[in-house]
Amino acid sequence: MTGIVRDEELGAPEILRRVSRIRRDGPDVVVDVDAHPAVRLPGTPGWLTGEPVTDQGVETSMPNLPNLRLPPLTASSWQVRVAFAGPRTVRIVVARVGARVLAEEPTWLGIVTDPRPEPVDPRIEEHPDHVTVHAGQVGVRISRFPFAVAITDADGRTVLRTGERLRQVAGFPVAPPVLGDGTHTTLHCELGPEEEITGFGEQFSRLVKNGQQLLLRVEDALGTGTGLAYKPVPVWHSTAGYTGFLNTGATVTADVGHTRPSVLALTAADEAIDLYVCVDADPRTRLGDYTALTGRPNRPPLWAFGYWMGRCRYHSRAEMEGVARGMADHDVPCDVLHLDPDWLVVDRLNTDFIWNTDRFGDRAALVKALDDHGCRLSVWELPYLDPASPRYAEAEAAGYLVRDTSGATARMRGTPTPDGRPRALIDFTNPKARRWWQDLHADFLDDGVAVFKTDFGEGLPDDAALADGTPPRHAHNLYPLRYNGAVSVAIAERTGRDPLVWGRSGWAGSHRHPGQWGGDAESTVAGMRATVRGGLSYALSAPGFWSHDIGGFFGPELTPALYARWTQLGALSPLMRAHGLRPREPWEFGPRTLDISREWIRLRYSLLPYLWQVATESAARGWPMMRPCALHHPQDPVANGLDGQFLLGADLLVVPIFDDGDEPVHRVFHVPAGEWTDLLSGERYRGPGWHSVEVPLDRMPVLVRAGAVIPRVDLPDRFRRTDDLVGLPWTLHVFGDADHDLRLAGFDGTDTRVRIRGGEAEATGGQSVRRQVVRHG
């Protein structure tokens, strides 16, 4: 046998090893666990504590076993707290005794809004080698020695287990269940041989994350191809039947079988792991449970689902009015025209709400002029102040700016500045600062500004000392959640309507402040492809209302064909906005592209009744509008990896064309189970299975599920915006032979009950519905 060396001076992280006591504490179950210092073995994977090596499973008969330098056999006290938020959701907190999280409510970081949406009472069963805690449909099994955790579903099937079984050839553990050193805590979970992981926020990589290592830290990603993320979210889904959520603002490293093929390693830059696990075979149910914890979004106003146009930048009122007139002249409906930073006097990474009258004249007059052309006004902002602003000294003197741990005014980080001046950040945890910032929006809202594009928010430094005492390790990632929340509340308070922002950065919980867009995509096929992947990944972690910049924001000159293809994608996205560094108005790309774009924009407006139903469902149930195919077809073995197509609601399958040329292309896509009909061509497809079609530039496959009822509105010849469609009757398009009884959410805010029999419909409620239905197939 090899020699063993004990080094009492060896500093080391700790591994939880032995349960010492179990007790109830109100609705929680508290498990006391002894942890021992551990060392990583030099030159070989594996960890050891100072316990007898045979107790650790080491193969002492290995002939080439190296000398083992063991740490001291001392013990420290950790706690594992088990609580249930509902019949399918369990919370497991793992921390050293004395850690702050053990004394805090689950809502303390502002991510969780309702810690017990469906209270259940756990029961404990003690056994010689383990203890089980059951409530509802979830069971938690905790092994006494060595410490380990397994979570089971209603059928007793294990859906998640820690990695204690995983070892290298000499028996050294390579994935101890919990490893902590006071600043970082790692949870090791075992990945099953067929288990796939999705989620982790707006990641622009492949939808299935196996084999990837992701750094979950809010950053100005500077595009969709840098490996950074504007909206990472520590929420993931497993095909084993669970959804995980880390209730933390700390940076998280998610190693999904990247370092160890059979290990999901989650490392929080924190003293604790605060894990929620939602257990159910249906990922929609799990998303509903997750959003019951963290809040659900309101349904945005109807006009938000129209066509938006923007550019970085419009430089004058005359230029904006020219674009608005152009929309009317080219018969392109448009609901929102967006104004980027040129509205400011000091306009470089600064927002002080001082309107530039030299460029845009009177603000209320601009709003009125655009409204006369059919467009509402969207205005850009960010939460930073430039020292050159007249409002900087006021905010600094009043204590409204973020301080660092030395007491000095903190400086924005992460985004290059054009002049080298440091920008300060608003401290949204200071109630007076929050109120001051919110009140700065009041005059804009009173003048008729419809929405604020809440740009940036990724720049809080790591040494920030926020007014409410949020630990610095949590503050950075929570900043965009608080920023977008403050503006959203300001809009709701001032207007009395459901608010809408257009946010770039986000974290867990950001979905409850719609909407968000995918940041600065490159104007290439790769940028378009990454955008769709980002939207689908975000949908699984922050479900709600998401969009993207049609045409991409920057990069090579955008080809007319790629603009047309991206417009088709935008027309079937939750929200639709064209925006970029250079002009994005459809007439800028030639008459053919204009004709194609107009056709698809009008198609979107005709589908507004359907989009309204999906938006209503999303707000009520906590589901995204843009849905990965696996959300509705989790048993389809290929659905999880489909990140080049998506469902818009349950009934429309959208197949974007990733190409920048004028010629028809062959597109291979997967059709879920059942019969599907192309909305435009009438061609039928049967699934599950793969299909290949030739797609000309003016077409994109949009398939309708058999059994669906798609409400549409017949468009007048020349209409300007969504307001012109309110009050018009809807036509019900029925796919398949079945009759239906359904409830539709009307544009007027009322529900309408509809009874479809044969080719006719009877409707009761405020929304006008045509008696004659259109049947397809």
Side-chain angles (χ1 to χ4, degrees), residues 391-523:
R391 285 207 164 107
Y392 185 95
E394 173 193 353
E396 187 171 45
Y400 297 160
L401 304 180
V402 174
R403 300 282 177 175
D404 63 25
T405 51
S406 73
T409 300
R411 306 306 185 191
M412 179 206 74
R413 60 160 298 279
T415 299
T417 58
D419 44 36
R421 286 196 303 272
R423 270 60 172 181
L425 305 93
I426 306 302
D427 189 344
F428 294 103
T429 72
N430 177 341
K432 292 181 179 179
R434 177 185 169 98
R435 183 75 268 166
W436 179 75
W437 188 260
Q438 291 172 324
D439 289 345
L440 291 173
H441 293 75
D443 289 346
F444 287 69
L445 294 167
D446 292 347
D447 285 344
V449 170
V451 56
F452 289 88
K453 173 182 171 180
T454 46
D455 207 352
F456 290 82
E458 306 96 352
L460 190 77
D462 291 332
D463 62 348
L466 297 182
D468 73 342
T470 298
R473 60 180 171 269
H474 292 288
H476 173 85
N477 288 328
L478 294 177
Y479 190 79
L481 173 64
R482 291 161 168 174
Y483 158 44
N484 282 276
V487 179
S488 183
V489 168
I491 295 170
E493 288 178 345
R494 199 71 183 184
T495 65
R497 62 167 167 81
D498 287 330
L500 178 74
V501 298
W502 190 272
R504 186 176 80 173
S505 58
W507 187 249
S510 287
H511 61 274
R512 62 180 182 257
H513 304 304
Q516 291 86 35
W517 98 101
D520 299 335
E522 187 179 41
S523 301

Side-chain angles (χ1 to χ4, degrees), residues 234-318:
V235 173
W236 69 98
H237 297 261
S238 166
T239 54
Y242 80 89
T243 293
F245 155 48
L246 289 179
N247 182 29
T248 184
T251 296
V252 174
T253 301
D255 186 317
V256 191
H258 173 77
T259 304
R260 309 276 184 262
S262 297
V263 178
L264 168 61
L266 300 158
T267 301
D270 189 21
E271 60 184 352
I273 289 287
D274 187 352
L275 171 69
Y276 283 85
V277 179
C278 305
V279 179
D280 195 87
D282 190 337
R284 293 170 298 176
T285 299
R286 304 196 305 258
L287 271 181
D289 289 342
Y290 163 66
T291 54
L293 285 168
T294 55
R296 292 175 181 160
N298 58 275
R299 180 184 61 192
L302 179 63
W303 53 260
F305 296 96
Y307 183 47
W308 297 37
M309 176 56 60
R311 189 195 302 172
C312 184
R313 311 177 176 197
Y314 296 126
H315 299 294
S316 67
R317 171 176 170 172

Side-chain angles (χ1 to χ4, degrees), residues 9-249:
E9 301 301 321
L10 201 62
E14 297 175 332
I15 293 177
L16 277 64
R17 290 291 290 164
R18 188 182 301 271
V19 172
S20 60
R21 187 170 62 144
I22 300 159
R23 64 190 188 281
R24 290 290 296 263
D25 182 11
D28 297 358
V29 176
V30 180
V31 181
D32 295 329
V33 185
D34 291 337
H36 299 304
V39 292
R40 188 197 301 270
L41 300 175
T44 182
W47 292 85
L48 285 178
T49 70
E51 300 163 284
V53 292
T54 52
D55 287 355
Q56 301 181 66
V58 175
E59 295 287 351
T60 56
S61 61
M62 289 290 291
N64 58 339
L65 195 68
N67 288 332
L68 301 179
R69 194 177 187 189
L70 302 183
L73 186 57
T74 58
S76 63
S77 298
W78 286 60
Q79 275 189 5
V80 177
R81 298 185 74 94
V82 180
F84 290 83
R88 293 172 299 274
T89 303
V90 61
R91 180 192 187 209
I92 301 175
V93 180
V94 185
R96 187 182 281 116
V97 170
R100 179 171 174 176
V101 67
L102 296 174
E104 295 283 0
E105 292 296 319
T107 55
W108 74 293
L109 295 173
I111 302 172
V112 172
T113 58
D114 185 351
R116 290 172 64 83
E118 298 179 72
V120 291
D121 188 38
R123 62 187 185 277
I124 303 174
E125 297 177 5
E126 296 209 39
H127 304 273
D129 60 348
H130 70 275
V131 59
T132 58
V133 186
H134 291 276
Q137 301 171 34
V138 183
V140 180
R141 175 185 170 123
I142 300 174
S143 299
R144 295 181 187 273
F145 180 80
F147 170 80
V149 177
I151 298 176
T152 58
D153 64 13
D155 298 323
R157 186 176 61 92
T158 299
V159 297
L160 181 152
R161 67 179 306 149
T162 49
E164 68 281 352
R165 300 191 302 182
L166 303 175
R167 297 171 180 272
Q168 51 105 298
V169 66
F172 303 143
V174 296
V178 177
L179 188 69
D181 64 4
T183 60
H184 291 77
T185 309
T186 298
L187 174 70
H188 288 118
C189 301
E190 182 176 335
L191 286 173
E194 305 298 329
E195 184 178 359
E196 292 182 330
I197 301 295
T198 54
F200 292 117
E202 190 186 61
Q203 303 292 338
F204 300 110
S205 55
R206 288 191 176 274
L207 188 57
V208 173
K209 299 301 187 287
N210 294 58
Q212 300 180 39
Q213 181 171 280
L214 306 168
L215 183 68
L216 308 186
R217 177 181 167 86
V218 173
E219 297 285 7
D220 181 350
L222 303 172
T224 57
T226 63
L228 304 175
Y230 302 104
K231 294 179 281 296
V233 181
V235 173
W236 69 98
H237 297 261
S238 166
T239 54
Y242 80 89
T243 293
F245 155 48
L246 289 179
N247 182 29
T248 184

Side-chain angles (χ1 to χ4, degrees), residues 328-347:
D329 293 345
H330 291 93
D331 196 20
V332 177
C334 183
D335 268 79
V336 180
L337 198 57
H338 173 68
L339 177 57
D340 253 12
D342 267 30
W343 68 267
L344 289 149
V345 177
V346 180
D347 71 349

